[in-house]
C-alpha cells in the first residue's frame, strides 16, 4: 500500500500555501483555539454526525463522535465534527424518505466545501445510512460508516418484543378490543428501552448490515448494540482507521464495485431484510455509477435463503444477532454467494475480514439446511399493473395469499383509507384487495411507509389479521403481511395503478412473479384517456425540487441530477 504524501492531501489546498487565502484559513483555525501543529501537515477527518435531540435512535452519537475523535487523534489525524441532517424515522414528517436525498446532498456538499481529507459517517436510523453513503460515494474521498447500533432487546409478559413489529401487532389487538387502554398505555414504555436503532431486522439494521457487507464499515460493526461499550470502541477504531485510509488513499470508488454491491444484496437477502433496501441499494449503486436492476435482485432472491431468525421474518432481535456473531458469521454461511475478493475499509478483502468469524448460535443465524425461509426476502412482480415492477417480501407474507384473486377496494389518499378502515359498514371481506394510490415518490410525496394498510376494524373483530394490500408506497421493514409495494410507475404520474376502480378483479401470483389487473386492454386505454394528473401540491422549496426530479422506485428514488458518478469539480480556492 502506498502512502499518500501529506502535501498532496486535499486539506493542504486550504492550509499549506504561502498566500493570502491560506493565511486566512490558518488564522481562522487558530481563532478556534487550535495550535498550528494540531491541524497543519495532518490528515483532516470530518465526522459527519446525524445526532439530534429529536432523533432517539441517535441519542448517543454525540459521545460516539468524541470516541471517533479519540481514534483520529491517536492515529495522528485532525478531527472535526460537522452536524448533518438528523432523520429520526418516527418523528420526521411527512416522511424521512423525502429527506434521504437532502441528507445525501448535504453530506456531499459539506465534504466538498470544507478542507476535508476523509469522512467518518455517523448514522443508523433508516434513511441516514443510505443518505450518508450516497453523499460519500458522490464525493469519493476516503469514507467509513459508523453504525449507531441497535437498541437493546425488550420483553413484555415474558416474550421478546421488537420495535415496530410489535407496535402494529398490539395495535391490531387494541383495535379488535383484545387489549384495554391501560395495557396499550403500558406498551408505550416498552419495546424501545434504550437509545439505538430498531432492534428487529427493520430498515435500519438491514441497511447498516448491507453497508458493512459492501465493505464500508469495520467487520462486525453493524450488530454491536448502541449501549454496548464495544460500540464506542468500534467508533474509536473507525476514526483511527480513517487516518490510515487517507494515507493509503483508499476511496469508496475502490471499495464499492459491482462485486461489493452484490455482496450487499446477498447479505440483505440472507438477513431477511426490509423491502426498503431494494430502493436504497439501487440508489447507492447508482451514485457509484453501477447499474443495479430489480431483476438482478429477484434473481439473487431465488438463490439466497433467509438465514437470520429475526423479526419480522423470525422471532429474535438484534442483540441475539450480536451474540451469535453478527454479520461476519452470517457472511461465512453464505460465502458461496459472495465475491470474497472485494476490497473493504480495512484494506483487506472480505475473505480476509471473515476468515476467523464463527457463529455462536445456529438458532439465530441458521445454516442453509435449516433456513428461516426459502421463499426469499424479496420477489419482484410485474404485469399490466406494475410494468416497471413491484416488490413483496415472501418470507413475511401470508402463505395463503401467495396466489390470490380478489375484488379491489380503492383509496385515493391515506386519509380516505384510514377513515374507511373505521367504517363499520365497509364493503370488504378477507378476500378483498385493498388498494392505496397516490402514495408514491411524487404523489405522497416521498413514498411514505403507508404500504402496510391497516385491516378494517370490522374484519379485525371477526378475527382477520392479514389481507392482500397493494400500493405505490413503501412499508416499514419492521412490518409484515401480504403487502405488494413500490408499484412502478406510481399512480400520480399516470401509472396503471391510477386506472384501477373499486370492483375490478386483481390477480397476484408470487411464484409466477405476476400482478395483473383483470380489465380489458381497451377499457384501460379508455380510462387512461380520461385520467388527469392532480395539481402539484408544492409550489416552492425542497419538496418542489424533489417532486420535479425524483425517480421512480425501480430507479432508487434518487434525484435524477444526482445519479451517476460524473465528477463535480473541486471548489476553486482564491
Ligand atoms: Fe430509528 Fe427504527 S425508528 S431505526
Amino acid at each position: 500500500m502506498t502512502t499518500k504524501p501529506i502535501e498532496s492531501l486535499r486539506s493542504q489546498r486550504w492550509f499549506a500555501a504561502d498566500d493570502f487565502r491560506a493565511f486566512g484559513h490558518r488564522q481562522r483555525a487558530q481563532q478556534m483555539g487550535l495550535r498550528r501543529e494540531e491541524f497543519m501537515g495532518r490528515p483532516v477527518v470530518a465526522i459527519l454526525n446525524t445526532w439530534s435531540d429529536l432523533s432517539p435512535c441517535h441519542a448517543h452519537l454525540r459521545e460516539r463522535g468524541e470516541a471517533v475523535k479519540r481514534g483520529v487523534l491517536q492515529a495522528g489525524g485532525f478531527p472535526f465534527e460537522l452536524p448533518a441532517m438528523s432523520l429520526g424515522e418516527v418523528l420526521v414528517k411527512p416522511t424521512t424518505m423525502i429527506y434521504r436525498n437532502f441528507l445525501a446532498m448535504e453530506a456531499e456538499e459539506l465534504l466538498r466545501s470544507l478542507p476535508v481529507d476523509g469522512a467518518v459517517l455517523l448514522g443508523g436510523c433508516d434513511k441516514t445510512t443510505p443518505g450518508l453513503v450516497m453523499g460519500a460515494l458522490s464525493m469519493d474521498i476516503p469514507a467509513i460508516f459508523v453504525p449507531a447500533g441497535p437498541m437493546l432487546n425488550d420483553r413484555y409478559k415474558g416474550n421478546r418484543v421488537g420495535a415496530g413489529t410489535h407496535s402494529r401487532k398490539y395495535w391490531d389487538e387494541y383495535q379488535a378490543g383484545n387489549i384495554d387502554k391501560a395495557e396499550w398505555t403500558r406498551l408505550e414504555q416498552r419495546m424501545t428501552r434504550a437509545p439505538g436503532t430498531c432492534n428487529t431486522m427493520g430498515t435500519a439494521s438491514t441497511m447498516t448490515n448491507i453497508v458493512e457487507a459492501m465493505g464500508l464499515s469495520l467487520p462486525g460493526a453493524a450488530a454491536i448494540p448502541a449501549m454496548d461499550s464495544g460500540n464506542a470502541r468500534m467508533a474509536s477504531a473507525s476514526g483511527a482507521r480513517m487516518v490510515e485510509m487517507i494515507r493509503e488513499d483508499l476511496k469508496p470508488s475502490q471499495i464499492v464495485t459491482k462485486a461489493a454491491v452484490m455482496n450487499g444484496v446477498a447479505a440483505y437477502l440472507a438477513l431477511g431484510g426490509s423491502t426498503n433496501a431494494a430502493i436504497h441499494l439501487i440508489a447507492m449503486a447508482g451514485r457509484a455509477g453501477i447499474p443495479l436492476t430489480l431483476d438482478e435482485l429477484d434473481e439473487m432472491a431465488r438463490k439466497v435463503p433467509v438465514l437470520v431468525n429475526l423479526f419480522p421474518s423470525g422471532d429474535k432481535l438484534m442483540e441475539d444477532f450480536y451474540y451469535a456473531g453478527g454479520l461476519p458469521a452470517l457472511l461465512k454461511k453464505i460465502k458461496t454467494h459472495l465475491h470474497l475478493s472485494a476490497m473493504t475499509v480495512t484494506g483487506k478483502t472480505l475473505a480476509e475480514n471473515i476468515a476467523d468469524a464463527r457463529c455462536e448460535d445456529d438458532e439465530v443465524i441458521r445454516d442453509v439446511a435449516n433456513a428461516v425461509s426459502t421463499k426469499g426476502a424479496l420477489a419482484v412482480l410485474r404485469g399490466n399493473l406494475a410494468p416497471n415492477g413491484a416488490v413483496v417480501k415472501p418470507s413475511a407474507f401470508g402463505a395463503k395469499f401467495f396466489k390470490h384473486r380478489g375484488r379491489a377496494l380503492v383509496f385515493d389518499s391515506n386519509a380516505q383509507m384510514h377513515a374507511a378502515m373505521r367504517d363499520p359498514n365497509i364493503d370488504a371481506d378477507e378476500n378483498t384487495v385493498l388498494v392505496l394510490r397516490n402514495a408514491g415518490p411524487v404523489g405522497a410525496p416521498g413514498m411514505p411507509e403507508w404500504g402496510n394498510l391497516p385491516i378494517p376494524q370490522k374484519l379485525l373483530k371477526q378475527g382477520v389479521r392479514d389481507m392482500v394490500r397493494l400500493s405505490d408506497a413503501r412499508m416499514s421493514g419492521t412490518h409484515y403481511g401480504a403487502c405488494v409495494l413500490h408499484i412502478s410507475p406510481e399512480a400520480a404520474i399516470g401509472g396503471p395503478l391510477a386506472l384501477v376502480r373499486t370492483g375490478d378483479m386483481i390477480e397476484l401470483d408470487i411464484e409466477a412473479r405476476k400482478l395483473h389487473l383483470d380489465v380489458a386492454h381497451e377499457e384501460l386505454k379508455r380510462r387512461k384517456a380520461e385520467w388527469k394528473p392532480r395539481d402539484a401540491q408544492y409550489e416552492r422549496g425542497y419538496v418542489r425540487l424533489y417532486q420535479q426530479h425524483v425517480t421512480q422506485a425501480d430507479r432508487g428514488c434518487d434525484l435524477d441530477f444526482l445519479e451517476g458518478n460524473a465528477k463535480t469539480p473541486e471548489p476553486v480556492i482564491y
Side-chain angles (χ1 to χ4, degrees):
M1 203 69 76
T2 54
T3 300
K4 192 166 171 155
I6 283 290
E7 52 283 7
S8 67
L9 291 182
R10 195 174 173 270
S11 59
Q12 295 302 299
R13 294 183 60 227
W14 274 259
F15 293 130
D18 187 18
D19 62 17
F20 181 69
R21 277 290 152 220
F23 166 81
H25 301 151
R26 292 191 298 268
Q27 184 186 47
R28 294 298 174 163
Q30 288 171 88
Q31 182 185 3
M32 294 183 286
L34 296 164
R35 286 176 294 122
R36 231 172 176 252
E37 46 276 26
E38 285 185 75
F39 63 91
M40 290 286 290
R42 294 172 186 277
V44 177
V45 176
I47 302 166
L48 293 194
N49 198 340
T50 54
W51 169 88
S52 94
D53 268 333
L54 278 180
S55 186
C57 311
H58 296 176
H60 57 304
L61 287 190
R62 264 211 296 210
E63 293 92 73
R64 295 298 172 272
E66 293 304 313
V68 174
K69 282 182 193 169
R70 262 195 348 256
V72 171
L73 288 167
Q74 172 258 323
F78 170 62
F80 66 93
E81 199 166 351
L82 299 173
M85 190 177 200
S86 188
L87 297 175
E89 188 64 25
V90 178
L91 294 172
V92 173
K93 304 296 175 196
T95 164
T96 53
M97 186 61 181
I98 286 188
Y99 298 111
R100 181 201 68 180
N101 298 341
F102 191 101
L103 173 61
M105 287 173 82
E106 186 189 17
E108 179 182 349
E109 300 306 333
L110 278 173
L111 298 179
R112 176 170 297 115
S113 60
L114 289 165
V116 176
D117 298 314
V120 180
L121 315 170
L122 268 59
C125 193
D126 299 17
K127 310 306 179 298
T128 56
T129 304
L132 289 168
V133 168
M134 286 160 70
L137 285 166
S138 292
M139 187 54 203
D140 200 27
I141 59 173
I144 193 166
F145 183 76
V146 171
M151 66 179 84
L152 299 173
N153 282 2
D154 205 350
R155 297 181 86 80
Y156 189 68
K157 293 191 169 173
N159 297 316
R160 278 186 180 82
V161 285
T165 301
H166 286 86
S167 307
R168 176 45 67 91
K169 224 179 192 108
Y170 287 125
W171 172 249
D172 285 349
E173 297 309 322
Y174 181 48
Q175 295 295 296
N178 299 332
I179 285 181
D180 64 16
K181 180 102 179 154
E183 186 167 4
W184 179 241
T185 305
R186 262 199 308 279
L187 279 161
E188 260 180 28
Q189 298 163 5
R190 311 305 291 259
M191 298 184 235
T192 48
R193 103 181 223 240
T197 50
C198 289
N199 51 10
T200 49
M201 190 46 73
T203 306
S205 290
T206 302
M207 293 313 304
T208 54
N209 279 287
I210 285 175
V211 163
E212 183 182 323
M214 285 166 62
L216 290 172
S217 294
L218 293 182
I224 306 172
M227 292 295 100
D228 191 295
S229 59
N231 189 281
R233 289 194 297 274
M234 174 272 294
S236 169
S238 299
R241 177 61 196 145
M242 174 44 56
V243 177
E244 293 172 0
M245 285 172 69
I246 293 169
R247 293 190 172 122
E248 293 162 9
D249 201 21
L250 181 55
K251 296 178 188 156
S253 53
Q254 292 156 266
I255 295 171
V256 181
T257 57
K258 181 79 182 208
V261 169
M262 294 316 288
N263 287 342
V265 171
Y268 153 45
L269 298 166
L271 289 160
S274 159
T275 44
N276 284 323
I279 295 174
H280 299 319
L281 268 161
I282 291 170
M284 290 190 297
R287 291 299 187 98
I290 298 165
L292 178 68
T293 64
L294 282 177
D295 290 334
E296 287 176 284
L297 296 179
D298 187 84
E299 197 185 324
M300 278 296 274
R302 291 173 191 263
K303 296 181 202 158
V304 182
V306 177
L307 298 185
V308 175
N309 183 21
L310 261 60
F311 291 110
S313 297
D315 61 9
K316 304 283 192 291
L317 293 166
M318 277 302 290
E319 210 180 321
D320 305 302
F321 184 55
Y322 173 60
Y323 299 138
L327 189 76
L330 174 67
L331 293 181
K332 206 153 186 184
K333 291 196 179 190
I334 58 163
K335 64 181 183 187
T336 54
H337 297 291
L338 299 175
H339 300 272
L340 292 166
S341 59
M343 178 49 60
T344 74
V345 288
T346 61
K348 298 180 182 145
T349 64
L350 189 63
E352 290 172 289
N353 285 351
I354 65 171
D356 297 327
R358 215 174 56 194
C359 178
E360 304 287 352
D361 190 339
D362 290 328
E363 179 50 26
V364 178
I365 304 174
R366 302 270 189 91
D367 293 325
V368 173
N370 183 32
V372 175
S373 171
T374 52
K375 295 176 201 145
L378 185 83
V380 178
L381 312 184
R382 290 183 194 273
N384 66 349
L385 200 43
N388 294 346
V391 306
V392 296
K393 184 173 183 177
S395 60
F397 196 100
K400 69 174 180 171
F401 294 117
F402 267 47
K403 203 166 180 166
H404 185 76
R405 180 180 162 88
R407 176 182 165 274
L409 177 57
V410 181
F411 305 104
D412 283 316
S413 73
N414 198 42
Q416 183 195 29
M417 180 270 293
H418 276 288
M421 294 302 141
R422 294 190 291 270
D423 181 355
N425 300 314
I426 187 171
D427 184 14
D429 60 29
E430 62 181 324
N431 293 315
T432 302
V433 176
L434 303 175
V435 177
L436 174 65
R437 63 186 168 206
N438 301 316
V442 175
M447 207 182 177
E449 292 183 334
W450 294 342
N452 183 296
L453 281 68
I455 307 295
Q457 282 183 10
K458 177 179 107 174
L459 300 181
L460 282 172
K461 287 181 180 143
Q462 293 168 13
V464 175
R465 291 291 182 272
D466 199 5
M467 293 171 72
V468 174
R469 292 157 269 178
L470 253 64
S471 73
D472 43 15
R474 297 175 300 115
M475 174 172 84
S476 165
T478 63
H479 289 173
Y480 55 90
C483 302
V484 181
L485 309 155
H486 309 184
I487 289 178
S488 173
E490 63 174 301
I493 62 167
L497 190 64
L499 311 180
V500 184
R501 293 187 178 167
T502 291
D504 290 347
M505 296 305 286
I506 291 177
E507 290 171 5
L508 168 75
D509 188 338
I510 291 184
E511 286 295 326
R513 303 299 201 249
K514 188 175 123 186
L515 181 63
H516 180 69
L517 175 62
D518 194 6
V519 174
H521 182 65
E522 283 310 310
E523 170 62 12
L524 289 177
K525 259 172 74 177
R526 197 185 62 72
R527 291 184 191 177
K528 177 80 194 214
E530 284 175 4
W531 178 81
K532 289 192 180 58
R534 297 190 312 165
D535 291 341
Q537 292 167 286
Y538 289 81
E539 294 301 325
R540 63 171 301 281
Y542 169 72
V543 180
R544 180 76 182 138
L545 180 80
Y546 179 90
Q547 281 187 312
Q548 287 174 337
H549 291 281
V550 68
T551 64
Q552 292 291 288
D554 59 302
R555 261 177 64 187
C557 298
D558 202 353
L559 302 181
D560 52 13
F561 58 87
L562 295 173
E563 291 177 314
N565 61 349
K567 289 281 167 262
T568 301
E570 283 282 345
V572 176
I573 296 178
Y574 61 90

